[in-house]
Amino acid sequence: MIDFKKWIDFGLTHGAEEIEFYFERIKSNKIQIFTGDVESLLTSTSQGIGVRVIFDGKIGFAYTSNLTSKGLKTVIIAAIDSARLVQKSELHKFSDKGWRYPEVEIFDSELGSTELEEKIRYGIELERSALDFDPRIVRIPLAKYEDEEKEVYIVNSKGLNEHYNKTIANAILTAIANENNENQTGLGIGFGKKLSDLDSQKIGEQAARQAISLLGATAVPTQEVSVLFSPYAGSLLCAPFGSGFLAGRVQKNKSYFKGKLGEKVASSLVTLIDDGLLEGGFQTTPFDDEGIPSQKTIVVEKGILKSYLYDTYSAGKAGISSTGNSRRKSYQELPESTLTNFYLQPGNYTKEEMISEMKEGLYILNLSGVGSGTNPISGDFSVGALGIWIKDGKLTHPVSGVIIAGNFFEMLNDIVQIGNDMSFNFITKFMGMPSILVRKLMVTGI
């Protein structure tokens, strides 16, 4: 392991007023299966260090994967030199020592001790579980398993010296069903701390069942109707708009929620929470990537905007404390304010109860074109949708070839029921949603 004290001293003697090291080591496996064989297999280990310094009130940054003495000397000098080129700010601060960090269960040694051959067998079982579900499942375009063991150290010249180890595994499968020369696609996903958390049968059947349920799908006439979002579809739509709650975006006038603290911004049914300590959460860690303890923050409570989400810089700008929402994409990136485990608090309705109370509308299972069809600042969205039509409280026929359109911020105020079936979507990395029923949205079809 790196002698951090030695390199802190080196940085301070070469002009840094403060210095911080963010060390990251990641071991990962990526396995893709096609027709019962390994289509691709990538096992890798990467490590590196990001160095931040404060020099004359300015912050500098550099990174390297060269952890030799020469490499560390070079990266520290580069970080100091980069500070000379930026504007001065009194808001740049590194974390002090002495925090009491909460205990979180985010590491499982089982993942590292599981043989690669067993992980390959899992991928084959994943593919087979969907193919065996129904003869109408004719092809599996994607059957993928991935895992990661991550080790992080944050050490600085103010005495902070902390680390954690984390494991995560995930699986994703798409299945194609065919009937009467028509193809439909379904998706199954799962994640956990280790391989045994992922039920290959459940994931495969989830994808197969969805694909089959959409066979015979047609468009419907253009109309304004009630829309019920499945947890997966709801998380896809909501994810692009979550950044509006980040203080950094608010302070840059890039958020609809600027100046709305204490105001009603959603239906009274809506409570939105960011919880960096959530048990089983994809983004759960004991502290953020600046060394600030992770925490649970109520962002919207019963429709009222209560808080933004802060890193150290944006918190300093606002004159308050960080909410522990600073994250880095890797050691090669600077930390920035980010959502952790962000979710809509579940309600009391089952999906079946919500469907039974709908006179007519669309139950949405999946969306397409979310990246290009949403505007996080204005709230406008127009995206493709797949689902099942509801008539007189019953699922009737599958629907495809339609577009749903509206305004996300208006939609928040138009939520009339929330389900009790919350799940997290690892594809969005942070967004957890239950089923939600929206009073009316425009469905554009034929």
Side-chain angles (χ1 to χ4, degrees), residues 2-4 7-8 10-12 14 16 18-23 47-54 59-84 328 331-334:
I2 297 169
D3 183 352
F4 289 110
W7 296 110
I8 286 172
F10 177 85
L12 296 178
H14 282 76
E18 295 182 28
I19 186 167
E20 173 202 77
F21 297 99
Y22 175 88
F23 170 82
Q47 63 180 11
I49 195 164
V51 180
R52 290 197 301 167
V53 301
I54 295 177
I59 195 158
F61 174 71
Y63 65 88
T64 187
S65 60
N66 182 355
L67 303 182
T68 64
S69 291
K70 181 179 179 181
L72 291 170
K73 288 178 182 178
T74 300
V75 75
I76 292 168
I77 296 300
I80 294 170
D81 288 343
S82 72
R84 304 176 196 273
R328 304 176 193 236
Y331 71 89
Q332 300 175 353
E333 305 279 348
L334 282 164

Side-chain angles (χ1 to χ4, degrees), residues 142-443:
L142 179 66
K144 184 164 66 173
Y145 166 84
E146 297 182 345
D147 66 35
E148 179 180 285
E149 296 177 75
K150 182 176 182 179
E151 182 179 19
V152 168
Y153 279 81
I154 301 179
V155 184
N156 68 28
S157 55
K158 299 175 78 173
L160 183 74
N161 188 337
E162 298 292 339
H163 84 283
Y164 65 80
N165 293 78
K166 182 174 182 175
T167 55
I168 195 156
N170 65 74
I172 181 169
L173 180 139
T174 57
I176 293 180
N178 177 275
E179 190 172 55
N180 299 323
N181 295 318
E182 175 201 356
N183 289 334
Q184 291 291 349
T185 302
L187 174 72
I189 59 175
F191 75 92
K193 285 187 296 186
K194 56 187 184 296
L195 177 61
S196 59
D197 289 337
L198 309 179
D199 188 330
S200 61
Q201 193 75 18
K202 181 179 178 180
I203 295 169
E205 291 184 1
Q206 178 187 32
R209 187 176 288 109
Q210 184 181 108
I212 291 167
S213 73
L214 292 169
L215 287 169
T218 58
V220 294
T222 296
Q223 56 195 295
E224 194 176 41
V225 292
S226 297
V227 171
L228 175 62
F229 288 90
S230 68
Y232 177 77
S235 66
L236 287 181
L237 181 61
C238 293
F241 300 101
S243 62
F245 296 107
L246 300 175
R249 293 188 66 86
V250 172
Q251 292 166 355
K252 293 175 183 177
N253 296 314
K254 293 183 177 181
S255 171
Y256 166 83
F257 299 108
K258 181 179 175 63
K260 289 183 167 59
L261 282 175
E263 296 183 11
K264 184 178 184 296
V265 296
S267 160
S268 60
L269 300 175
V270 171
T271 293
L272 294 170
I273 297 169
D274 184 89
D275 189 355
L277 300 173
L278 184 71
E279 183 177 357
F282 197 94
Q283 302 281 17
T284 297
T285 55
F287 48 85
D288 73 2
D289 288 346
E290 293 183 302
I292 304 297
S294 298
Q295 68 176 55
K296 177 179 179 179
T297 303
I298 296 176
V299 179
V300 174
E301 185 174 27
K302 296 181 179 179
I304 306 300
L305 181 61
K306 294 290 188 176
S307 177
Y308 303 124
L309 298 169
Y310 297 88
D311 60 5
T312 299
Y313 183 84
S314 59
K317 203 168 184 178
I320 62 174
S321 298
S322 168
T323 55
N325 281 85
S326 181
R327 292 290 188 276
R328 304 176 193 236
K329 295 177 183 177
S330 78
Y331 71 89
Q332 300 175 353
E333 305 279 348
L334 282 164
E336 59 183 2
S337 58
T338 308
L339 302 172
T340 62
N341 303 301
F342 189 77
Y343 65 94
L344 172 62
Q345 184 169 278
N348 299 316
Y349 292 90
T350 65
K351 179 188 72 176
E352 292 73 21
E353 288 172 336
M354 298 168 80
I355 290 171
S356 70
E357 295 182 20
M358 292 177 66
K359 182 174 177 58
E360 190 166 26
L362 179 61
Y363 175 43
I364 298 179
L365 297 174
N366 205 347
L367 300 172
S368 60
V370 174
S372 59
T374 54
N375 185 319
I377 298 176
S378 71
D380 294 332
F381 64 87
S382 179
V383 296
L386 283 169
I388 301 175
W389 197 253
I390 298 170
K391 180 77 171 178
D392 295 326
K394 295 182 179 179
L395 298 172
T396 58
H397 62 87
V399 173
S400 66
V402 299
I403 292 172
I404 59 164
N407 183 277
F408 177 77
F409 306 121
E410 293 176 4
M411 192 185 88
L412 282 178
N413 284 282
D414 221 17
I415 293 174
V416 292
Q417 287 183 350
I418 299 177
N420 61 3
D421 54 349
M422 186 185 79
S423 63
F424 275 82
N425 178 2
F426 84 81
I427 292 175
T428 66
K429 297 292 190 291
F430 54 79
M431 185 67 66
M433 292 287 292
S435 297
I436 55 171
L437 178 59
V438 179
R439 190 185 309 277
K440 282 189 178 181
L441 284 175
M442 182 60 67
V443 177

Side-chain angles (χ1 to χ4, degrees), residues 26-48:
I26 296 176
K27 180 181 178 181
S28 65
N29 296 288
K30 298 181 180 181
I31 303 167
Q32 194 158 322
I33 303 297
F34 186 69
T35 62
D37 290 319
V38 176
E39 182 180 43
S40 64
L41 170 61
L42 176 63
T43 296
S44 65
T45 299
S46 63
Q47 63 180 11

